[in-house]
Amino acid sequence: MRYSTSLTAMAASLLLATSAAQANETRDVEMHKVSAEGVSESIGSVTLEQSKYGLLFTPSLGGLEPGAHGFHVHQNASCEPAENDSGKMTAALSAGGHYDPENTGTHQGPYVDGHLGDLPVLTVNENGDANVPVLAPRLSMEHMSGRSLMVHAGSDTYADEPHLGGGGARVACGVVES
């Protein structure tokens, strides 16, 4: 009986430790400037951390235009340029669209139904640095493998018009490794 109780206690402890470790799992994503010509120099990284409240994105980025920027998880693990429907090379177009596993087809922001890849806006200070964390309560680390993170030139309206309101041109991108 004593042996069985010890095994049960060990199993419970292991389960709690595993659960706590998963809650604190982190990944670093190196971010690069992107253009129609390709992927260029690193501008820093974004640390992803699983919490019981969702996925925390902590940027450590420099060299961006000051202000608010659209910030999203994109479907594909690529930051390479690609040809758009008009035949024009476009920065980081190989990343695909916003991550939308439920096929909602709507851009409503990080706190309501819509694209799961909609993140809170990324704030860049007057020195061009972004270091204010954002929380995505509907995302978990399991959603992130094989995706990319994207920073857009302008802010995000979380509206479907004009063209998904996602902040315009893609200016920085990082691949989330599997």
Side-chain angles (χ1 to χ4, degrees):
M1 185 70 139
R2 178 179 271 167
Y3 181 71
S4 174
T5 304
S6 294
L7 281 178
T8 303
M10 284 179 15
S13 294
L14 183 58
L15 181 62
L16 286 172
T18 301
S19 180
Q22 287 174 342
N24 294 320
E25 180 184 356
T26 64
R27 282 190 190 177
D28 288 326
V29 178
E30 187 171 0
M31 301 292 289
H32 296 267
K33 286 186 177 179
V34 292
S35 70
E37 289 75 41
V39 179
S40 62
E41 75 267 14
S42 174
I43 61 166
S45 65
V46 176
T47 299
L48 312 180
E49 182 177 1
Q50 185 66 56
S51 79
K52 66 181 183 178
Y53 303 106
L55 198 57
L56 185 66
F57 294 77
T58 303
S60 180
L61 303 174
L64 294 166
E65 288 293 317
H69 294 265
F71 189 36
H72 305 105
V73 176
H74 280 246
Q75 185 66 36
N76 304 320
S78 177
C79 294
E80 296 298 322
E83 205 171 282
N84 67 17
D85 294 338
S86 304
K88 182 179 175 187
M89 291 303 285
T90 303
L93 193 59
S94 293
H98 298 171
Y99 179 52
D100 189 19
E102 304 292 323
N103 294 314
T104 65
T106 185
H107 185 74
Q108 297 182 33
Y111 308 110
V112 295
D113 294 336
H115 296 160
L116 204 53
D118 289 346
L119 301 177
V121 296
L122 183 71
T123 304
V124 178
N125 68 23
E126 64 278 352
N127 297 321
D129 299 327
N131 52 29
V132 177
V134 299
L135 179 69
R138 300 183 310 136
L139 281 174
S140 67
M141 199 67 83
E142 289 78 32
H143 294 112
M144 299 306 297
S145 289
R147 310 276 172 244
S148 58
L149 292 181
M150 194 72 63
V151 177
H152 293 268
S155 190
D156 198 330
T157 64
Y158 302 117
D160 291 330
E161 295 296 329
H163 188 64
L164 299 180
R170 299 168 183 205
V171 296
C173 180
V175 172
V176 181
E177 300 297 329
S178 298

